């Protein structure tokens, strides 16, 4: 089990981690999800022993890892650009972690060779064993990098943007395959990504990070349906932000029918409603202040732009085949299918979906 | 109207190929090929028997020996020191680093005769360093060590300047990866870092050795130039020239050239072997 407590880290004047508390269970597959600059890679490197925090604790299986060097931690780290040793064959790359052990702990040559053969089989790259990394494709290098990390039977497997440099089709393949490898090896795995789809598809739990803090921890559904902060809501694609008035937990505004949005146990008053452009339905309503100013189709979806009298402009994505006939200049009522309400003040919500170590919400 | 069957000719993306290649070929011919050809012709004029007699004369053999041994000593020293220097300049931050970096170019910039003179002054029995070494029974000036010293001085930048950029470009990820895999710092150097700078290092050492073979200006001041003891091959060729024995000079020079070529060949094979993983 990995236990991270009150961890902070600055690079010069820039605070990269502002107090991280996180527990990861043995055997879990966890994603650190966040935009670039959220501190997720720094956190991963601290766990690996490649960076050191300014303050905080890192305890793994009861041992204080901050007192151990990277060499002593026995982790498997898969680098974003793989960092395979270019002068070694695939076989030697995978064997590296075993062959550099001190003589007393080093397995015999035949044991190492057998282990490497096992991994080559598991990773489905046996035919590449004698090639050099320069002769491999990106996806093959990724497998070798994982094999090299797995060879030492790591206590924790860490992956930095594991599929970031690959194209979409290979990425999907490798994702499914990584999931299988995780099931077979059972090692506690933590990976960093900025790709939501990747995080949600692969991980048991997703940790959303923003600006050096953990914003929310949860499953795909939890984070989707109940974002814990405006940051998470925006990051999850709820880029439409409407000023509303809360009355009895229900968001109200002119031209808005928010009956489908869950009620919130929040005080009446002004609030913000966050919506995804693809979770808004439109209904003709001459009384609505929203007018259609633009529409364009990409074949599957119609992207409509609506403007309020006040000048506020929002995008709405509708499936083309089930969309109503939209005419430019007409007035429409917004009927969100889901949405998240947050009050205007900067303090955390009392009823935020998951009570987490979310500190202050930063205005972006 | 052009006929439809006109062959399609790909246009060169980069213009000026003919002109730029022509210029370089002309340059190489005038500066390198013609002098080398003249040297070979001059040496060949005298026929194999006479050639062999000149280059196998005791004085010439002694000169070749001194030159090769001193160059070997200088190169071994530079190989180690140059590697260390490149490592220090790339891997550590310290005040005065830029000055040190600039100092590495001094041997290139300094006229070699000036270098020879100041080394002689320093290491002679009444020089700053010589006065201290002499009582210990170590004499540098007028010995093969002095020759090696002068060679080392003029050729060390070759090693530093070939290794340095490669070391700078080395992805720190390799070392981090090795660290996470449990490798000690010493193992990381020998198994991860060194193999990757090996080709550059070999190339640097080769140029340093070749340069040492031909070094003249710095050595004549510190060597004493005693025939059979501290007379280098380049000086012997020069002496033959002064005696208007052009064939003798050319014969000795040709042998030096031969050594340098053999060395370059061996070095190229070694580099190709060290960089075999790059051919992909």
């Amino acid at each position: 089990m990995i236990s991270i407590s009150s961890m902070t880290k600055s690079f010069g004047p820039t605070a990269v981690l502002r107090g991280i508390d996180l527990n990861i269970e043995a055997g879990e597959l966890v994603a650190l999800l966040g935009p670039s600059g959220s501190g997720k890679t720094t956190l991963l490197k601290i766990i690996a022993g490649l960076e050191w925090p300014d303050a905080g604790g890192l305890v793994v299986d009861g041992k204080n890892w901050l007192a151990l060097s990277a060499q002593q931690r026995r982790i498997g780290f898969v680098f974003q650009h793989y960092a395979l040793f270019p002068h070694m064959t695939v076989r030697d790359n995978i064997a590296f972690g075993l062959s550099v052990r001190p003589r007393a702990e080093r397995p015999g040559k035949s044991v190492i060779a057998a282990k490497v053969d096992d991994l080559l089989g598991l990773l489905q790259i046996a035919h590449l064993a004698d090639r050099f990394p320069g002769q491999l494709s990106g996806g093959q290098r990724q497998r070798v990098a994982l094999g090299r990390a797995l060879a030492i039977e790591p206590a924790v497997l860490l992956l930095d943007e594991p599929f970031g440099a690959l194209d979409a089709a290979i990425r999907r393949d490798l994702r499914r395959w990584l999931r299988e490898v995780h099931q077979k090896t059972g090692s506690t795995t933590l990976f960093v990504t900025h790709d939501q789809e990747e995080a949600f598809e692969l991980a048991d739990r997703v940790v959303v990070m923003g600006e050096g803090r953990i914003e929310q921890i949860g499953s795909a559904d939890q984070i989707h349906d109940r974002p814990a902060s405006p940051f998470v809501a925006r990051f999850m694609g709820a880029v439409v932000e409407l000023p509303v008035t809360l009355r009895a937990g229900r968001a109200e505004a002119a031209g808005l029918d928010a009956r489908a949005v869950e009620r919130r146990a929040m005080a009446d008053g002004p609030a913000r409603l966050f919506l995804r452009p693809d979770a808004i339905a439109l209904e003709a309503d001459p009384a609505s202040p929203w007018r259609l100013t633009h529409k364009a189709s990409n074949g599957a979806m119609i992207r409509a732009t609506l403007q309020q009298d006040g000048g506020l402009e929002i995008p709405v994505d509708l499936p083309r085949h089930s969309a109503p006939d939209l005419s430019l200049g007409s007035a429409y009522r917004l009927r969100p299918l889901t949405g998240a309400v947050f009050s205007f003040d900067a303090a955390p919500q009392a009823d935020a979906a998951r009570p987490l170590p979310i500190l202050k919400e930063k205005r972006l | 109207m052009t006929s439809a069957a006109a062959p399609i000719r790909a246009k060169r993306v980069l213009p000026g190929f003919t002109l730029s290649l022509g210029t370089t070929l002309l340059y190489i011919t005038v500066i390198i090929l013609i002098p080398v050809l003249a040297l070979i012709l001059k040496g060949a004029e005298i026929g194999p028997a006479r050639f062999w007699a000149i280059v196998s004369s005791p004085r010439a053999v002694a000169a070749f020996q001194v030159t090769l041994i001193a160059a070997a000593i200088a190169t071994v020293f530079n190989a180690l020191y140059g590697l260390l220097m490149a490592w220090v300049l790339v891997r550590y931050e310290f005040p005065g680093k830029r000055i040190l970096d600039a100092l590495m170019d001094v041997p290139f910039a300094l006229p070699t005769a000036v270098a020879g003179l100041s080394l002689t002054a320093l290491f002679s029995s009444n020089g700053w360093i010589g006065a201290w070494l002499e009582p210990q029974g170590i004499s540098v000036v007028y010995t093969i060590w002095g020759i090696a010293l002068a060679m080392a001085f003029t050729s060390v930048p070759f090693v530093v300047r070939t290794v340095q950029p490669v070391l700078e470009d080395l992805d720190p990820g390799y070392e981090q990866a090795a660290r996470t895999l449990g490798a000690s710092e010493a193992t990381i150097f020998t198994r991860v870092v060194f193999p990757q700078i090996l080709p550059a290092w070999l190339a640097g050492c080769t140029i340093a050795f070749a340069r040492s073979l031909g070094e003249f200006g710095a050595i004549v001041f510190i060597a004493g130039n005693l025939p059979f003891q501290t007379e280098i091959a380049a000086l012997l060729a020069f002496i033959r020239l002064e005696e208007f024995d052009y064939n003798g000079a050319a014969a000795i020079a040709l042998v030096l050239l031969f050594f340098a070529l053999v060395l370059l060949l061996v070095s190229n094979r070694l580099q190709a072997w060290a960089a075999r993983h790059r051919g992909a």
Side-chain angles (χ1 to χ4, degrees), chain A residues 45 48 50 70-71 74-75 77 79 83-88 92-93 96-97 99-100 132 134-135 148-149 152, chain B residues 171 173-185 187-188 191-193 195-196 274 276-280:
Chain A
K45 290 204 160 170
L50 299 173
Q71 280 98 335
R74 211 155 160 171
I75 38 136
F77 197 103
F79 289 80
L84 295 176
F85 305 128
H87 56 289
M88 294 182 201
D92 292 342
N93 262 288
F96 186 85
S99 65
V100 297
F132 287 106
Q135 300 165 311
R148 185 176 68 175
I152 60 170
Chain B
D171 182 354
Y174 297 132
E175 284 155 79
Q176 292 182 343
R179 216 163 281 145
T180 63
L181 292 164
S184 68
E185 297 299 322
T187 309
I188 292 174
R191 291 199 44 192
V192 175
V193 176
Q196 297 196 59
R276 65 200 177 286
H277 57 88
R278 286 185 204 160

Side-chain angles (χ1 to χ4, degrees), chain A residues 251-332:
Chain A
E252 291 179 1
L256 176 74
D257 171 8
R259 275 175 299 178
V261 176
E262 242 177 291
R263 279 173 193 260
R264 280 299 164 100
M266 278 162 52
D268 286 358
R272 289 177 291 172
L273 175 63
F274 288 81
L275 304 171
R276 295 169 61 97
D278 61 0
I280 302 173
L282 297 181
E283 274 169 10
D285 176 3
S288 168
W290 293 99
R291 280 179 197 286
L292 184 70
T293 56
H294 186 79
K295 65 173 179 172
S297 166
N298 71 0
M301 303 287 280
I302 291 176
R303 166 144 287 208
T305 307
L306 286 96
Q307 194 170 27
Q308 206 183 20
D309 301 339
L312 182 62
E313 218 177 44
I314 62 162
V316 174
D317 292 338
L318 304 159
R320 188 164 67 92
H321 290 294
S322 54
D325 273 340
L326 296 174
S327 53
L328 288 176
S330 301
Y332 291 94

Side-chain angles (χ1 to χ4, degrees), chain A residues 200 206 208 216 218-227 232 236:
Chain A
F200 291 129
V206 173
V208 183
Q216 187 167 10
S219 68
D221 295 351
Q222 287 166 340
I223 292 173
H224 246 278
D225 295 347
R226 303 177 145 231
V232 179
M236 296 308 299

